[in-house]
Amino acid sequence: MNNTFLSDLTSIRLILSSEKATLGVDFTITCVSNDRAIVFRRNVTNECTIAGGYSNGTCNLIGEYNHNYKYNCNNSTGEYMYNLTIPSSFNIDTLHGSRWSCSAPIEVVSSENIQLYVNVPIANVIITTVPTDNDPVEIISDNNQNFICKTNAGRPTSRIQWYISGRNITGSATHQTNVCKPGCNGKFISSSELTYSGIIADNGKIIYCTAVNIEGHIVRSENKSIVILYSPSVHLKPKYDPYIVYQGQHNIVLTCVIDDGNPADFVTYEWNSPIGTVNTHNLTILTVNNSHSGQYSCTATNNAGTSDKATKQIDVHYGPLISNISKHQDIIEGQNLIVFPIVDSNPVARLIWWTRQNGANFRYDGYVLRINTIQRTSSGNYACYVMNTLTPSGMNEINRTTRETFYVNVEFKPFLENTRPYSPSHVTAIENNIIHLTLTLTANPTPTIEWTFRAETDWDSCNFITIVSNTTTNRLFTSSSIFIDNVNSSNFGDYAFTARNTAGVFSRRFVVMKEDWRVSQPVSSYSNCLDVILVPPVTILDASSSWLRQDMLSSTKENIGMFVAGVVTLVVGLLSLTISVIFVVRNSLKNKTLKSAKTDEYTGVQRSNPAFTDAYTTLHSDIEPRALQEQIINTYEECERTPEAHAYSSVDKMESEPNHPQHHDVNAYEECGKRIEAHAYDTLDK
């Protein structure tokens, strides 16, 4: 065997003359190798074996080979190039989808497999009309005519375009379909349908289509001439345009009147309107409603065609329709109520006004109802009135008025209802007895109630726990209470009450102490004051006044125990009277001698601060008037916030001997961490 057939084969590859073969066009497959001998294979069939070539380009073919192909060999470039050409005369479509490769005849070295794709150009595209194929094609103006274009089988699918006298109208065609019948071997028949609406201006023009499945190979159909048939001309009665009618009006008649037509006999009519299509000479509306507004048109059809549309606008007038007003309006007291209606009316409303039920003097003129800084007394039923004027054609004007009612619910934050029984903020109790804390609030909407408790042993912490209460609500009134029977030492401490609703928050604190607890304050601890200061029962109730309480009582606390001397079994009424007289006389003397700029300052603060006039932050005292309380508080402020102030409802004797200090952080509910003590007792010690 010749050693040239055993030479080292370092590369072998297959090259096509084009990406795809085309029926009727030469197609060449080239095998490039550094071996003199190669084999062309199609699928599993050897098409030929070539053992080198000659200088004239012919190939040395060995054994059997396919005589339908042409062969050419060239080794002038240093590589062997073996060309297999399928001539245009050969039906290359039979080779579509076959896989080709080349390899050395002995060594197991082969090029990649390449699948052959063969383009089959379409030969024709045929245009027809449906349901019958006519030429020329008569089309009534504004009517539709369907055209179909269909190609013969080709590979790949075709793209069909529609034209009317050179203008592309493909956008009016339906989606193109491509059909491959069984055994088609990938060759498709493409078709497209055009729905054309006759236009008078297109009379005498031609419609045709084109198809292309291979670039540069365009096939055109025959032409279809179109003839547009003209219609009669018409107008509508009555003469009004727009024709104004009103909602609820009866028996409205529109008439389609023919002006001209050819032919003029056998005329049929067609009305198009918002209510549908009618095929009568007259169009009648029995009862008018809003849906009848719109354009009405009529056409008349004879044997030659259908007329142009005669149109008339009908405008339905109707009374006001009010929307965008909620039947129930919730608003917080102090805010601005704004009610902005949406009014649908035709024609537009010319009058809008507002009234209030049981409010004979309430009338508000204007499109938007606005009540600034609304108060709870403004709750109630309101009504919006809107009026417009209808002007139907050929008739007198008609006034129409519409009313829309709604309820305004003014919400306000909880506040203490002081007309009903409520507990003082400082309470004394006896062990094994009962504790009853109660209060009643007025609020809208009904508030959420929470009671929390901090034991006396936890004064230095913020350890409040939630406790169960008895709460009832009757309309705007909410009553809540804490009832503890068989009191023990763990029940003494700080009780905090909170009521919340969408409008705000109300808070109150209750300090519960043992009834026999007494504290005295030595005179020496008041070095900056001229005398011992006794603070009468003063209760600062809620969080809104906590800033003043903290400012007055932010001193270092030293509670000095007191020795109770004397007999305390006297009649409670006599003791109360005696103590009241002592307080009035002592503080009267102090007010004459103690003059301070701070006194004036805090007096002014109290008078200007709304917290001291609010219904649920009022200072409660049955012993002394407000002016005297302000003086005592200001005197305490002059002491540079160093002493502790304890007020007792009954005091027999004040001792100056110090006792061990007790730190009770009463104000920790508002701000834990500050050492502020202010104990005021609203009950007399018995």
Side-chain angles (χ1 to χ4, degrees):
M1 182 178 291
N2 194 325
N3 290 334
T4 58
F5 287 91
L6 301 176
S7 61
D8 293 335
L9 185 61
T10 58
S11 68
I12 184 168
R13 64 186 186 276
L14 204 63
I15 301 174
L16 305 182
S17 58
S18 61
E19 182 180 356
K20 297 178 181 179
T22 301
L23 183 65
V25 179
D26 288 351
F27 185 76
T28 300
I29 303 173
T30 302
C31 182
V32 180
S33 174
N34 62 355
D35 202 323
R36 293 185 57 194
I38 60 97
V39 175
F40 277 101
R41 288 188 177 87
R42 176 176 59 85
N43 297 331
V44 295
T45 302
N46 291 343
E47 294 288 341
C48 68
T49 300
I50 302 175
Y54 303 101
S55 59
N56 61 359
T58 59
C59 298
N60 182 18
L61 297 168
I62 300 175
E64 295 292 331
Y65 64 93
N66 193 325
H67 293 274
N68 293 318
Y69 309 145
K70 297 178 181 179
Y71 304 96
N72 179 270
C73 297
N74 184 358
N75 61 355
S76 60
T77 61
E79 285 185 308
Y80 295 98
M81 301 183 67
Y82 305 98
N83 300 315
L84 184 153
T85 300
I86 304 171
S88 59
S89 58
F90 181 77
N91 185 11
I92 196 172
D93 186 31
T94 60
L95 303 179
H96 176 72
S98 60
R99 305 189 70 85
W100 291 75
S101 66
C102 66
S103 64
I106 297 177
E107 298 183 13
V108 187
V109 178
S110 177
S111 70
E112 70 274 23
N113 285 321
I114 297 179
Q115 186 172 21
L116 182 62
Y117 185 95
V118 179
N119 289 329
V120 178
I122 59 171
N124 56 69
V125 57
I126 298 174
I127 184 172
T128 58
T129 59
V130 292
T132 58
D133 188 23
N134 297 314
D135 190 23
V137 183
E138 293 185 349
I139 306 171
I140 298 175
S141 175
D142 297 326
N143 283 8
N144 294 335
Q145 174 64 57
N146 290 337
F147 295 79
I148 295 177
C149 269
K150 182 181 291 186
T151 69
N152 67 316
R155 187 188 302 115
T157 59
S158 300
R159 181 169 59 92
I160 298 175
Q161 299 282 293
W162 289 92
Y163 297 88
I164 180 169
S165 295
R167 178 169 60 90
N168 194 311
I169 56 173
T170 306
S172 301
T174 59
H175 184 69
Q176 179 177 311
T177 60
N178 303 294
V179 178
C180 181
K181 296 181 179 180
C184 67
N185 195 22
K187 290 184 288 186
F188 292 86
I189 296 174
S190 300
S191 63
S192 176
E193 184 171 355
L194 170 71
T195 300
Y196 168 77
S197 181
I199 302 174
I200 294 176
D202 291 340
N203 185 47
K205 293 183 179 180
I206 58 173
I207 291 179
Y208 62 92
C209 64
T210 63
V212 57
N213 71 333
I214 298 174
E215 187 176 356
H217 184 77
I218 300 175
V219 179
R220 175 172 168 166
S221 70
E222 294 180 349
N223 296 332
K224 288 286 186 181
S225 299
I226 56 175
V227 177
I228 307 300
L229 301 180
Y230 298 97
S231 60
S233 60
V234 296
H235 73 274
L236 303 181
K237 287 185 177 181
K239 62 181 181 180
Y240 307 108
D241 194 13
Y243 184 22
I244 299 176
V245 296
Y246 64 89
Q247 186 174 8
Q249 189 174 347
H250 299 295
N251 297 324
I252 303 299
V253 178
L254 298 178
T255 302
C256 187
V257 180
I258 295 179
D259 296 322
D260 190 16
N262 185 26
D265 53 352
F266 304 108
V267 176
T268 59
Y269 300 90
E270 181 176 278
W271 288 88
N272 290 296
S273 69
I275 58 175
T277 301
V278 178
N279 297 110
T280 59
H281 186 208
N282 298 325
L283 185 150
T284 302
I285 301 174
L286 296 179
T287 303
V288 176
N289 59 50
N290 291 357
S291 64
H292 291 125
S293 286
Q295 190 177 78
Y296 290 72
S297 63
C298 174
T299 59
T301 303
N302 57 16
N303 292 339
T306 301
S307 68
D308 291 335
K309 294 179 180 179
T311 61
K312 184 179 294 293
Q313 182 72 25
I314 286 186
D315 188 6
V316 178
H317 279 194
Y318 51 92
L321 302 174
I322 304 174
S323 61
N324 200 46
I325 296 181
S326 174
K327 289 291 186 181
H328 188 94
Q329 310 249 357
D330 291 324
I331 186 170
I332 296 176
E333 184 176 39
Q335 293 182 347
N336 297 332
L337 174 68
I338 300 175
V339 183
F340 194 108
I342 295 176
V343 178
D344 177 19
S345 65
N346 188 27
V348 297
R350 63 187 185 90
L351 283 178
I352 299 180
W353 70 97
W354 308 76
T355 63
R356 178 182 173 186
Q357 185 179 7
N358 301 325
N361 297 325
F362 182 92
R363 173 169 172 135
Y364 187 92
D365 294 310
Y367 193 83
V368 179
L369 173 64
R370 183 183 183 97
I371 302 177
N372 293 330
T373 317
I374 195 167
Q375 300 301 308
R376 67 196 67 175
T377 55
S378 296
S379 292
N381 291 305
Y382 290 75
C384 174
Y385 293 86
V386 182
M387 188 185 80
N388 71 342
T389 301
L390 315 183
T391 58
S393 299
M395 300 176 64
N396 294 328
E397 294 182 349
I398 304 171
N399 289 329
R400 290 285 170 85
T401 301
T402 303
R403 183 185 72 169
E404 182 71 18
T405 61
F406 58 98
Y407 182 78
V408 173
N409 177 41
V410 179
E411 299 178 348
F412 52 91
K413 67 181 182 179
F415 68 93
L416 183 66
E417 181 56 49
N418 53 21
T419 63
R420 298 194 178 188
Y422 61 94
S423 299
S425 60
H426 288 76
V427 176
T428 60
I430 301 173
E431 289 194 18
N432 301 321
N433 207 328
I434 64 171
I435 296 174
H436 187 200
L437 305 178
T438 183
L439 75 169
T440 299
L441 305 177
T442 302
N444 184 27
T446 300
T448 300
I449 303 300
E450 182 184 32
W451 286 84
T452 57
F453 171 70
R454 179 180 60 181
E456 185 178 25
T457 57
D458 290 335
W459 280 105
D460 294 330
S461 71
C462 293
N463 295 330
F464 281 86
I465 61 173
T466 301
I467 58 178
V468 178
S469 64
N470 180 27
T471 301
T472 60
T473 298
N474 183 10
R475 300 181 66 183
L476 299 180
F477 298 99
T478 298
S479 297
S480 186
S481 63
I482 297 293
F483 186 85
I484 303 173
D485 58 0
N486 197 20
V487 173
N488 58 55
S489 60
S490 65
N491 299 129
F492 297 117
D494 197 0
Y495 291 79
F497 169 84
T498 304
R500 292 182 175 85
N501 67 2
T502 55
V505 180
F506 170 85
S507 297
R508 176 175 278 261
R509 296 175 52 240
F510 299 90
V511 178
V512 178
M513 295 293 184
K514 289 185 64 174
E515 183 170 325
D516 59 351
W517 186 74
R518 295 290 185 272
V519 178
S520 65
Q521 186 70 282
V523 176
S524 60
S525 64
Y526 296 87
S527 58
N528 292 327
C529 297
L530 297 179
D531 202 346
V532 177
I533 300 174
L534 296 179
V535 180
V538 177
T539 304
I540 300 177
L541 296 179
D542 60 20
S544 64
S545 59
S546 63
W547 65 272
L548 181 58
R549 180 168 65 251
Q550 292 172 0
D551 191 34
M552 296 189 326
L553 303 178
S554 59
S555 63
T556 304
K557 293 174 288 295
E558 293 179 357
N559 290 323
I560 310 301
M562 65 175 293
F563 293 96
V564 178
V567 178
V568 292
T569 58
L570 296 178
V571 179
V572 173
L574 182 59
L575 288 175
S576 300
L577 178 60
T578 303
I579 294 169
S580 298
V581 172
I582 292 173
F583 283 163
V584 171
V585 172
R586 289 173 63 85
N587 284 285
S588 225
L589 293 174
K590 291 174 188 177
N591 289 335
K592 292 179 181 180
T593 57
L594 297 178
K595 301 298 183 178
S596 170
K598 290 186 178 180
T599 301
D600 297 334
E601 176 184 352
Y602 275 88
T603 300
V605 169
Q606 290 179 330
R607 289 173 180 172
S608 62
N609 190 344
F612 285 89
T613 60
D614 191 277
Y616 44 88
T617 57
T618 305
L619 300 178
H620 294 284
S621 175
D622 296 329
I623 299 177
E624 301 191 59
R626 178 182 180 89
L628 182 56
Q629 293 176 9
E630 292 178 351
Q631 292 169 356
I632 295 172
I633 292 172
N634 293 332
T635 304
Y636 174 69
E637 181 66 26
E638 291 175 354
C639 295
E640 299 182 355
R641 302 187 180 98
T642 57
E644 292 177 344
H646 300 281
Y648 297 86
S649 297
S650 63
V651 177
D652 289 10
K653 185 177 180 181
M654 298 296 293
E655 296 292 337
S656 62
E657 294 180 10
N659 196 358
H660 296 291
Q662 301 178 11
H663 297 284
H664 297 290
D665 193 355
V666 176
N667 288 317
Y669 176 66
E670 285 103 13
E671 184 178 356
C672 287
K674 292 187 176 181
R675 293 292 183 263
I676 301 173
E677 234 182 61
H679 301 295
Y681 292 83
D682 292 333
T683 59
L684 297 175
D685 291 328
K686 300 178 182 179

